[in-house]
Amino acid sequence: MNRKHREIELLVLTMFAAVPLYFTFSVSIAALVIFHVILGAIAVRVAMGKGPALIPARLMRAIAIAYIPFYLIDWRVLSGSAIAASTHLVLFIALYQPIESLQRDNRLQRLLTASLIFIASIATSFHMAVLPFILAFVFLMFRQLMVVSHLESARIAGADDVELPTARTAGFYVIGAGMIALFLFPLLPRVRSPLVQGIGGPNPRRSTGLSESINFGEGRVTSQNTAVISRVWVDRRTRQMFDAIRLRGTIYDRYDRDEWRQTYRGYRELPSMDDAIAIAKAKGVESTATVQQVVQRGKVLLPVGAVSVSGMPARLFEGPTPQTYHTYYDGMLNLSVQMAYQAEPLQLTRVAVPKYPVLPEVAALARRIVGTDTTPVGRARRIEQYLMKNYRYVPNPASLGKTMSVDDFLLRERAGHCEYFAAGMVVLLTALDVPSRIAGGYYGGRYNPITGYYVIRRSDAHAWTEVWDGTRWLTFDSTPEVLRPGASTGSVLREYVAALGDSLNFVWDRYILSFGLADQLALAEDLLVRGRATLASLRQKLSTDALKVGTRQYGALAAIVIALGAMVALIVRRRRSLFDALARYLKKHGIEVGPAMTMEEALDQLRRQHPDAARELAPLIAMYEEERFSSHEDRKRRTRIRRKLAELRA
Amino acid sequence: MVLAVAAINTGNNALYIAVALMLGSLLLSGLASKGGLKGLDVEIAGIDEAWAKRPAEGTIRVRNRSRLWNVRDVVLVSDAFAEPVLIPFLPRGERTQFVAFLFPRRGLAHVTTIDSYTRYPFGFVLKKRRLRVESEVVVFPALLAEDGNHDRLHPVAGEQASSGRLGHGTEIHSFREYVRGDSLRQVHWKKSASLGRWIMKQSEAEAAHAVHVVVDPFKPREMSEDAFEEMISAAATFIHDAARRGFDVTLSLPRVSVHARASESATPLFRALALVEPMHERVHQIVDRDAVLFSVAGPAAERPASGRPHAEAR
């Protein structure tokens, strides 16, 4: 790799470091494009054998001086963020440095700049694709560091011929460092800085996907976004208890100025007891579900039927409307949710019938549907069935070609999307003075047969109806079941490929992206518990099996253990250093070889006390010294010394 | 460090992956550099004529004993090396490398250690290991600038040129001490008997292209070491020049004389000079009339009355 290639590789490394910034939106796209175009042009110049000075060095210095006030403008006005402005600054430095390299060797500074860009890139990245990016960057960085290290060594030695490390060597170190990192990753302390709570830039992709209100006077859009909202595990019993998983996000319980709105009642902190946060009173059969989700704008989407939550890394609030939940934690949640067949509110709040101006025709329709049924639940069930059977589901609201009111939906069009079905049912129940509300959230999801969880995407957004039966809110869904989100299926192969992709995503989300302090503590606890259990079972086994020691099996085992022990002892003995072996021999003759004593001195003492023994030992000590102070080991000589020593001992 | 702070501040596990990789690479680089150095053995294979203060060519044998690690970018440094030596790459095995040695002073130089340094693979840390070697080198005295030595040889060379005594060459010209290899025919029995040691006759013809150098190792206490070394260097330079011009050279030191014919190498003479130690007491030495005496203490050696004026180290 000559100088030109090295320079091009360094430029490529710098450009590559900034690639994820296009996807994280933490800096402006225009700045990134300028950065890549200029560096690319410099790389082309270098490849053509010209210098990197695309812009004359003097002009570049002048631009650099002008950038200082520009940075302040960028910070306060253009970007409005110190982080974005600082990233722009680092990008500018990365452009300046190749031109500066004509004056002095600044390769190490350039690598540092590339590393800073790399940090900015991954600090705001959450997607799994960041992993291959990190590995590729580390590979290129290792190559560059090896080049710098080698050139420095060659410079010190005044050597001309350079033998640069190959890509294979860099690959070897990436694999090696990766294996060590695999071990270190779960052990690194996940301590958050108390001063700076995140420096991540705004992510425009982050939204709940649920609207603040429902206005049928405006066009509605069905989301086709497949971003994962949540993953939910439910056991077999839970699956039998509920028709499908419903994550409740928003409650529209008020009709005001032609819009269905939420009643804001503020945020009430839910007390935690033994890590579990009670959110409702449980009645009937209970079961457990595990919910993983990224918090979007503070909203925690819990399954309908949830009565308590554990594993919350921060405080949980009920609000802004009852039975909806909020947290100030910004990250991924892995919650264990206790569910019950019947979940009653912890606190009774005033339940009222929405103030919807019910038309006489609608009231007549409602009465016709329910007939003689007088109970709220019975009436709700009849209306649900009626809408399911007699109304047509339109998945894309735009296909209607116009906006329409709920009354139009009920009396004339008889076709609409899920919000019309939910609102229609609420209007019909309002006509009958039965308290009800529209619930917005996510429904169903797709079952992943590989990992056994339901993956719920943004495209699974749905609305349904909740009816007050006097003690609790009951779920009714008048949208035809086969037409609800997530019901459409593709080919089996496609389903499995999608499941595989999502499984990988899940592993990334669960064990990499959201691996935190709680997981570390759980891991430590688990190891401790397992260790104790193993010890206890071993003790138990030893005490119960003590009586069986006399049997043939145990006899054979004991023989094997003894043989192994003897083998180990033999190896240890053979491995004992020559010095120790000689010292042991000398000790037999009453000469204690101290730590600061040479064999020659010990031999002198032996000569005085036992001249005959000294005469025999002298050649061995001479051989030992020859071996000890030789620049290379001679195995045969060592063996000869040991053998002769054994003969002397005999 | 920056990476670790960023990881703590953002809590983003992608950064923790990078931190783990970074720590992994640090650990691995430490293991690689230590492993590379640990498996390294160096042995001085040989050194050509080593003159003090002049680089001498030599070879070292470098061996990598490690089964796992390659030796890369290792810089060897020793007091005996003229400049650091780079071993760019050495997989398992052995190779010989040329090295320039440089010894500051004459004598028996012991090369016992060579320090090996490496920053490989990433330059994060500098690792060092001291390698034990066993090597003894006889370093010849430093040679002085040649200009000054021509003058010293002039009397001898001039005499050779103008001598009309080449003739039969059988007349006794002078006496000298016995040197191994001398013929018994040249023994001057009478003088030998009176002095109690072998004294050889030198014929005129022989003396015409022969130089007898006497080095007096007496160094008065007030005389500096440097002056003594300068005198030894002057003698070495003189012998070197004479040998180059094709003279037979005899070097006399107390209790030893070394002779080198024109056709032979003068190495034994330089070796003898290399090992001369200063003496604080005068030692009796016979200096024949044509001998060139090198001394820091002025004429002290016994010189026959008919002897020619001697040259002295200045």
Side-chain angles (χ1 to χ4, degrees):
Chain A
M1 189 164 58
N2 60 27
R3 193 181 167 83
K4 191 167 89 176
H5 288 127
R6 291 202 299 265
E7 180 64 28
I8 292 172
E9 196 171 301
L10 181 53
L11 289 166
V12 168
L13 171 71
T14 315
M15 285 194 279
F16 182 63
V19 169
L21 292 172
Y22 282 104
F23 305 98
T24 60
F25 303 97
S26 49
V27 292
S28 74
I29 298 293
L32 282 171
V33 170
I34 292 168
F35 169 76
H36 277 114
V37 165
I38 294 178
L39 267 194
I42 291 174
V44 169
R45 270 181 70 90
V46 173
M48 287 164 66
K50 297 177 185 173
L54 180 72
I55 301 164
R58 277 186 156 187
L59 177 63
M60 200 62 194
R61 261 198 299 278
I63 296 171
I65 292 164
Y67 198 95
I68 298 165
F70 176 77
Y71 171 77
L72 296 172
I73 298 167
D74 188 13
W75 172 19
R76 306 305 299 184
V77 182
L78 297 176
S79 305
S81 148
I83 300 297
S86 300
T87 312
H88 290 157
L89 177 65
V90 175
L91 292 177
F92 175 76
I93 292 168
L95 293 179
Y96 178 75
Q97 281 173 330
I99 296 163
E100 191 206 21
S101 69
L102 288 170
Q103 269 83 46
R104 62 188 187 90
D105 182 17
N106 59 357
R107 186 168 279 267
L108 268 177
Q109 287 96 318
R110 288 169 71 185
L111 288 178
L112 180 67
T113 309
S115 303
L116 288 173
I117 298 171
F118 166 73
I119 292 170
S121 291
I122 61 171
T124 46
S125 298
F126 297 95
H127 196 268
M128 194 170 50
V130 78
L131 189 62
F133 166 77
I134 291 173
L135 291 175
F137 179 85
V138 167
F139 171 77
L140 290 172
M141 180 56 88
F142 278 5
R143 263 175 77 89
Q144 288 296 318
L145 285 171
M146 282 176 172
V147 167
V148 172
S149 167
H150 177 81
L151 292 177
E152 181 64 14
S153 300
R155 190 189 62 74
I156 290 167
D160 292 330
D161 59 325
V162 285
E163 214 168 317
L164 288 166
T166 57
R168 216 176 85 180
T169 316
F172 166 79
Y173 281 104
V174 171
I175 292 168
M179 286 169 79
I180 298 172
L182 211 61
F183 174 74
L184 286 178
F185 177 75
L187 303 179
L188 289 175
R190 298 305 199 280
V191 186
R192 291 295 294 269
S193 161
L195 302 174
V196 185
Q197 288 294 333
I199 57 167
N203 188 347
R205 293 183 175 198
R206 281 190 154 197
S207 75
T208 61
L210 302 172
S211 58
E212 289 296 301
S213 63
I214 300 172
N215 184 348
F216 289 113
E218 293 171 356
R220 304 289 288 170
V221 180
T222 302
S223 174
Q224 297 301 318
N225 192 335
T226 54
V228 175
I229 290 292
S230 186
R231 293 189 180 91
V232 183
W233 288 261
V234 285
D235 54 22
R236 192 184 290 268
R237 197 163 60 166
T238 315
R239 256 182 265 166
Q240 289 165 352
M241 274 161 56
F242 301 92
D243 63 332
I245 292 163
R246 290 174 196 272
L247 298 178
R248 191 196 285 127
T250 320
I251 299 288
Y252 308 99
D253 55 354
R254 187 163 61 91
Y255 187 81
D256 184 24
R257 283 174 286 171
D258 301 333
E259 271 187 80
W260 290 93
R261 296 170 187 270
Q262 305 171 64
T263 305
Y264 291 99
R265 291 189 181 159
Y267 294 99
R268 183 174 69 87
E269 186 181 345
L270 296 166
S272 167
M273 194 172 286
D274 297 333
D275 188 40
I277 300 169
I279 57 172
K281 282 188 255 177
K283 275 200 171 175
V285 188
E286 288 186 47
S287 65
T288 309
T290 307
V291 176
Q292 181 198 64
Q293 64 186 238
V294 180
V295 177
Q296 314 276 356
R297 293 187 177 176
K299 201 170 267 297
V300 180
L301 305 165
L302 292 176
V304 170
V307 290
S308 81
V309 175
S310 53
M312 263 308 284
R315 291 183 295 173
L316 184 67
F317 297 86
E318 187 179 20
T321 48
Q323 286 93 52
T324 61
Y325 303 96
H326 190 94
T327 181
Y328 292 104
Y329 178 77
D330 182 26
M332 185 163 283
L333 299 175
N334 288 293
L335 305 173
S336 177
V337 179
Q338 194 70 20
M339 295 174 69
Y341 184 63
Q342 295 177 358
E344 291 179 7
L346 286 176
Q347 285 185 342
L348 282 178
T349 49
R350 194 170 60 85
V351 176
V353 177
K355 290 176 182 169
Y356 185 84
V358 181
L359 295 175
E361 295 94 319
V362 171
L365 177 64
R367 281 194 295 277
R368 189 155 54 82
I369 294 167
V370 299
T372 54
D373 207 325
T374 52
T375 61
V377 175
R379 286 176 166 187
R381 190 151 294 137
R382 279 174 183 271
I383 290 170
E384 183 191 43
Q385 292 301 316
Y386 181 82
L387 292 176
M388 261 191 205
K389 284 176 188 162
N390 299 297
Y391 286 69
R392 189 164 54 87
Y393 179 78
V394 180
N396 184 6
S399 66
L400 292 171
K402 58 181 180 183
T403 59
M404 62 175 175
S405 66
V406 179
D407 298 329
D408 286 339
F409 165 74
L410 288 172
L411 300 173
R412 284 171 284 279
E413 299 293 336
R414 302 168 79 87
H417 53 78
C418 60
E419 284 174 342
Y420 279 108
F421 280 88
M425 190 168 167
V426 170
V427 168
L428 289 171
L429 288 167
T430 302
L432 300 169
D433 274 343
V434 175
S436 61
R437 61 189 187 181
I438 303 169
Y442 296 90
Y443 170 85
R446 193 71 52 90
Y447 182 69
N448 184 326
I450 298 169
T451 49
Y453 59 69
Y454 287 88
V455 57
I456 296 159
R457 300 175 186 277
R458 188 174 292 183
S459 53
D460 294 328
H462 186 49
W464 61 90
T465 311
E466 290 183 347
V467 180
W468 182 254
D469 74 341
T471 54
R472 58 195 172 96
W473 290 98
L474 297 175
T475 301
F476 291 88
D477 198 341
S478 52
T479 307
E481 199 167 345
V482 289
L483 302 171
R484 288 174 198 165
S488 60
T489 54
S491 67
V492 176
L493 184 66
R494 203 172 156 190
E495 290 288 310
Y496 264 84
V497 169
L500 188 67
D502 190 69
S503 302
L504 287 174
N505 260 319
F506 157 71
V507 171
W508 170 256
D509 286 352
R510 176 65 190 90
Y511 296 108
I512 308 289
L513 201 60
S514 64
F515 188 85
L517 190 61
D519 292 301
Q520 286 183 313
L521 293 175
L523 184 70
E525 192 186 345
D526 188 44
L527 286 175
L528 207 68
V529 168
R530 275 168 193 262
R532 276 184 184 165
T534 310
L535 209 65
S537 71
L538 203 69
R539 267 191 202 149
Q540 174 97 17
K541 202 167 173 55
L542 280 175
S543 63
T544 51
D545 290 4
L547 298 170
K548 298 179 190 169
V549 168
T551 64
R552 189 181 290 176
Q553 272 185 342
Y554 276 81
L557 187 70
I560 291 168
V561 168
I562 291 167
L564 281 174
M567 203 184 288
V568 168
L570 198 69
I571 291 166
V572 167
R573 206 169 131 242
R574 284 182 72 84
R575 294 231 165 202
R576 190 181 288 142
S577 74
L578 278 178
F579 186 91
D580 290 340
L582 287 166
R584 206 154 154 252
Y585 179 78
L586 284 159
K587 198 177 177 183
K588 273 189 179 172
H589 289 84
I591 310 294
E592 197 72 49
V593 184
M597 198 171 179
T598 64
M599 272 298 148
E600 200 64 47
E601 288 166 344
L603 185 63
D604 282 344
Q605 280 192 22
L606 188 68
R607 270 198 198 103
R608 285 195 288 276
Q609 293 177 21
H610 308 283
D612 292 342
R615 240 191 322 278
E616 286 175 340
L617 191 64
L620 289 193
I621 290 193
M623 279 166 75
Y624 161 75
E625 286 183 339
E626 202 180 333
E627 170 64 20
R628 174 72 183 79
F629 298 107
S630 166
S631 59
H632 60 273
E633 283 181 9
D634 185 344
R635 193 171 282 181
K636 283 182 185 166
R637 184 161 50 194
R638 296 171 78 87
T639 315
R640 213 160 48 237
I641 296 170
R642 283 187 192 281
R643 199 176 298 144
K644 292 207 171 188
L645 198 63
E647 283 170 14
L648 282 183
R649 270 200 230 108
Chain B
M1 187 69 185
V2 174
L3 204 56
V5 170
I8 288 171
N9 275 341
T10 59
N12 184 351
N13 272 343
L15 280 168
Y16 276 100
I17 293 174
V19 173
L21 269 169
M22 183 81 188
L23 291 174
S25 63
L26 271 173
L27 195 66
L28 195 62
S29 79
L31 288 174
S33 50
K34 194 170 182 184
L37 289 185
K38 202 174 174 189
L40 183 68
D41 257 352
V42 178
E43 200 178 309
I44 293 174
I47 303 173
D48 286 351
E49 282 183 355
W51 298 87
K53 296 176 185 169
R54 275 191 186 190
E57 277 194 1
T59 49
I60 53 169
R61 237 192 316 275
V62 194
R63 189 173 28 239
N64 178 13
R65 287 184 289 109
S66 174
R67 286 170 199 274
L68 181 63
W69 305 105
N70 289 334
V71 169
R72 263 191 186 277
D73 293 349
V74 173
V75 178
L76 299 177
V77 178
S78 168
D79 291 342
F81 291 167
E83 53 189 22
V85 178
L86 175 72
I87 305 170
F89 178 60
L90 180 65
R92 186 170 159 75
E94 181 182 294
R95 87 162 176 219
T96 305
Q97 185 146 347
F98 288 101
V99 176
F101 287 86
L102 182 68
F103 300 95
R105 54 192 306 120
R106 70 180 177 90
L108 193 61
H110 294 270
V111 185
T112 53
T113 57
I114 294 175
D115 290 333
S116 55
Y117 295 88
T118 188
R119 285 182 182 276
Y120 182 78
F122 308 124
F124 294 150
V125 285
L126 178 69
K127 287 267 177 179
K128 177 193 169 183
R129 184 179 164 231
R130 179 157 285 188
L131 303 165
R132 299 272 164 205
V133 287
E134 292 272 321
S135 185
E136 274 186 1
V137 187
V138 177
V139 182
F140 301 161
L143 294 176
L144 302 175
E146 288 193 2
D147 297 346
N149 294 309
H150 289 293
D151 299 339
R152 289 181 164 245
L153 213 55
H154 279 162
V156 184
E159 203 167 303
Q160 183 192 26
S162 63
S163 170
R165 293 172 294 163
L166 286 171
H168 305 292
T170 52
E171 291 295 313
I172 293 173
H173 174 261
S174 57
F175 301 97
R176 62 170 172 80
E177 297 266 349
Y178 169 79
V179 201
R180 208 170 66 175
D182 280 344
S183 167
L184 285 176
R185 288 182 183 182
Q186 301 298 317
V187 176
H188 193 282
W189 297 105
K190 221 175 193 177
K191 271 191 186 292
S192 300
S194 65
L195 289 170
R197 59 180 187 272
W198 297 112
I199 299 296
M200 311 303 289
K201 296 177 283 188
Q202 266 193 305
S203 65
E204 284 182 349
E206 198 182 44
H209 59 273
V211 183
H212 185 193
V213 177
V214 178
V215 172
D216 178 9
F218 174 60
K219 182 180 87 67
R221 292 189 190 280
E222 65 275 10
M223 195 64 75
S224 70
E225 283 283 338
D226 289 346
F228 184 80
E229 290 301 322
E230 177 90 6
M231 182 271 285
I232 297 290
S233 286
T237 311
F238 182 84
I239 293 170
H240 184 260
D241 207 17
R244 211 175 54 185
R245 285 158 183 261
F247 284 84
D248 291 350
V249 185
T250 305
L251 169 68
S252 288
L253 291 162
R255 288 188 289 279
V256 65
S257 282
V258 193
H259 183 67
R261 295 185 199 286
S263 55
E264 294 171 353
S265 162
T267 304
L269 280 69
F270 298 123
R271 185 185 290 273
L273 277 179
L275 302 173
V276 170
E277 293 288 329
M279 291 177 154
H280 299 302
E281 286 178 6
R282 280 189 184 279
V283 179
H284 180 76
Q285 273 182 289
I286 295 173
V287 181
D288 68 49
R289 63 189 174 118
D290 290 330
V292 182
L293 174 66
F294 288 86
S295 169
V296 288
E302 182 190 307
R303 186 181 286 278
S306 59
R308 287 185 299 183
H310 65 272
E312 266 180 41
R314 284 181 288 271

